[in-house]
Amino acid sequence: VAISVKPLKVQNWILPELPGFITDILISIDDRFLYFINWLQGDIRQYNIEDPKNPVLVGQVYVGGLVQKGSPVVAVTEDGKTWQSDVPEIQLSLDGKRLYATNSLFSTWDRQFYPELAEKGSHMLQIDVDTMKGGLKINPNFFIDFGAEPDGPCMAHEMRYPGGDCTSDIWI
């Protein structure tokens, strides 16, 4: 499987293009879908990889990144219009129907690229997965704010399901 992420043309960043930066990759337990976080651009992608020589993008949701609403960085389309996304380690449930994502990667990188994250803490989202046709949708009823923790804001990453997830080496 060979997948590349095109850079986004942007304004108000240190470079004129924002590269793709893949941080977490998962393959569903049935080997049909590949998921990854595109951390700087702020999207989660789902590819159908049933034909490994021809991966097909079947789901994509924007959950943050440098081009999220409120950021000074804006993406620029081919016709010159600008846009920002609504609000990158992922966990996929054993049944493949729930994908969990946090917006923290490494504390030193978080502080460099997303300084407000260290001040306000990270969060976790649940992405509902269409396991038949492919597709991703943010679950509006699931949001965990780690900034509200009793000992101050926390930056969450590397969460695990009790008993394992689709990437575990646990076999029954």
Side-chain angles (χ1 to χ4, degrees):
V1 176
I3 298 170
S4 62
V5 175
K6 293 181 182 179
L8 290 176
K9 291 182 181 179
V10 293
Q11 296 173 352
N12 306 322
W13 197 54
I14 58 173
L15 298 172
E17 292 187 327
L18 182 62
F21 186 69
I22 298 170
T23 58
D24 294 86
I25 298 174
L26 290 174
I27 295 179
S28 62
I29 203 161
D30 61 4
D31 293 329
R32 291 184 58 219
F33 297 106
L34 178 139
Y35 301 88
F36 67 76
I37 297 285
N38 185 13
W39 192 64
L40 289 176
Q41 293 180 11
D43 60 317
I44 298 173
R45 297 182 184 201
Q46 177 192 36
Y47 286 84
N48 182 314
I49 57 168
E50 291 175 292
D51 176 1
K53 294 181 182 177
N54 186 30
V56 178
L57 179 65
V58 294
Q60 181 178 26
V61 291
Y62 282 88
V63 294
L66 290 176
V67 293
Q68 66 183 301
K69 287 186 179 173
S71 166
V73 180
V74 294
V76 182
T77 63
E78 293 291 326
D79 61 0
K81 294 181 181 177
T82 60
W83 64 272
Q84 291 182 307
S85 64
D86 289 318
V87 188
E89 166 149 343
I90 53 178
Q91 295 289 311
L92 182 63
S93 60
L94 286 171
D95 63 7
K97 295 180 181 180
R98 295 173 313 280
L99 183 69
Y100 294 93
T102 61
N103 62 336
S104 174
L105 180 60
F106 300 112
S107 59
T108 52
W109 288 23
D110 293 342
R111 286 183 189 94
Q112 179 180 352
F113 290 101
Y114 303 105
E116 288 186 11
L117 193 62
E119 296 171 18
K120 296 181 179 179
S122 69
H123 60 261
M124 182 168 71
L125 301 173
Q126 177 182 318
I127 313 298
D128 295 327
V129 178
D130 182 335
T131 59
M132 300 305 288
K133 297 180 284 185
L136 302 173
K137 182 180 174 188
I138 296 171
N139 184 322
N141 299 316
F142 186 99
F143 181 85
I144 297 177
D145 181 2
F146 290 98
E149 288 297 305
D151 292 326
C154 298
M155 297 192 307
H157 188 72
E158 291 289 333
M159 300 205 198
R160 297 287 178 235
Y161 283 109
D165 66 4
C166 77
T167 63
S168 298
D169 292 346
I170 298 170
W171 303 98
I172 298 176

